[in-house]
Amino acid sequence: MRVRKLTFAALAVAAGLSLTACNGDDGTAQSEQTPASSASSSTGGSDSGGSEQGGGEEATGKNSGGQGTAAGTGSNTDGKVDKCRTDELDVTAADSTIDGDPEASVAVTLKNGGGRDCAMSGFAGVDLKTSEGALSAKRSGQPAERMVLKDGESVSFGINYPPNESGGSGVRVTGLVVTPPGETKPVTLEWPGEGTLPVTDGSGSPVTVGPIGSAGQGG
């Protein structure tokens, strides 16, 4: 009986040690898993939130930059000067023939009355109304340059033609039609030059027109 009691006692002590060891393992595992679980949750939240926030900030930066570029590009066009329109111009014509010159001439003046600066370049369209029909002037070989005509200022160009010295009746001129450069709307004026042109042999128009600015400096 004594041996059995000792054996039972030994078994009880062993069982107690076993239970203590198990409880200690469970506690250790729980204590290790808790920070691991917390670290995993924290890391996952940081990666997800940080990535989304970073992407959002980058997108916002790109959008802001794009809007800034568009606004800058738009502002660069504000200073552009539009062409002179027929309705904004006061067009007049006067005889400008100088004694002794081999050709007669008419000066056509364009005055800017549009309330804004405008640009023009090249040649105006010039047609003479005659007893034989319309006669278009041909362009001279002078260079044509672009210019800005300020509001209230004027610019002129010249029309040259041969005087009628044939002794005959010639071709009667009844009017002048001027179309400003780059425009399609004409202005009809009285012809201020000599009343007739010499009859041509059909080799081309005897009337020539100079570029804008070719007659005087305006004012």
Side-chain angles (χ1 to χ4, degrees):
M1 294 298 293
R2 183 179 178 85
V3 174
R4 288 182 178 178
K5 287 181 179 180
L6 290 174
T7 301
F8 289 148
L11 290 173
V13 171
L17 292 173
S18 177
L19 290 172
T20 302
C22 289
N23 291 333
D25 290 343
D26 291 342
T28 304
Q30 289 176 359
S31 64
E32 290 178 354
Q33 288 175 0
T34 300
S37 176
S38 301
S40 176
S41 175
S42 174
T43 304
S46 174
D47 289 345
S48 177
S51 176
E52 289 178 359
Q53 289 176 1
E57 290 174 359
E58 184 179 0
T60 303
K62 287 182 179 180
N63 289 338
S64 298
Q67 291 174 358
T69 302
T73 303
S75 65
N76 291 337
T77 63
D78 293 343
K80 183 179 179 181
V81 180
D82 196 10
K83 69 177 181 179
C84 299
R85 305 287 183 177
T86 300
D87 291 337
E88 299 174 325
L89 299 171
D90 181 20
V91 185
T92 57
D95 183 21
S96 59
T97 302
I98 298 176
D99 291 340
D101 283 355
E103 289 187 314
S105 63
V106 166
V108 177
T109 300
L110 310 176
K111 183 176 182 179
N112 181 8
R116 65 176 181 89
D117 297 351
C118 61
M120 66 171 64
S121 63
F123 294 78
V126 172
D127 293 289
L128 271 61
K129 292 182 176 182
T130 76
S131 56
E132 301 295 327
L135 179 64
S136 296
K138 61 183 180 181
R139 297 178 178 182
S140 68
Q142 295 172 270
E145 298 181 357
R146 183 180 185 276
M147 66 167 297
V148 174
L149 188 62
K150 294 186 177 298
D151 182 40
E153 292 189 352
S154 302
V155 66
S156 301
F157 66 87
I159 301 172
N160 295 328
Y161 63 97
N164 182 18
E165 298 175 346
S166 64
S169 59
V171 177
R172 185 167 57 90
V173 182
T174 60
L176 171 64
V177 180
V178 175
T179 305
E183 284 289 271
T184 58
K185 183 177 182 180
V187 176
T188 301
L189 307 170
E190 292 185 2
W191 174 248
E194 295 187 13
T196 60
L197 298 174
V199 177
T200 64
D201 56 6
S203 59
S205 174
V207 183
T208 59
V209 56
I212 295 297
S214 62
Q217 298 180 351

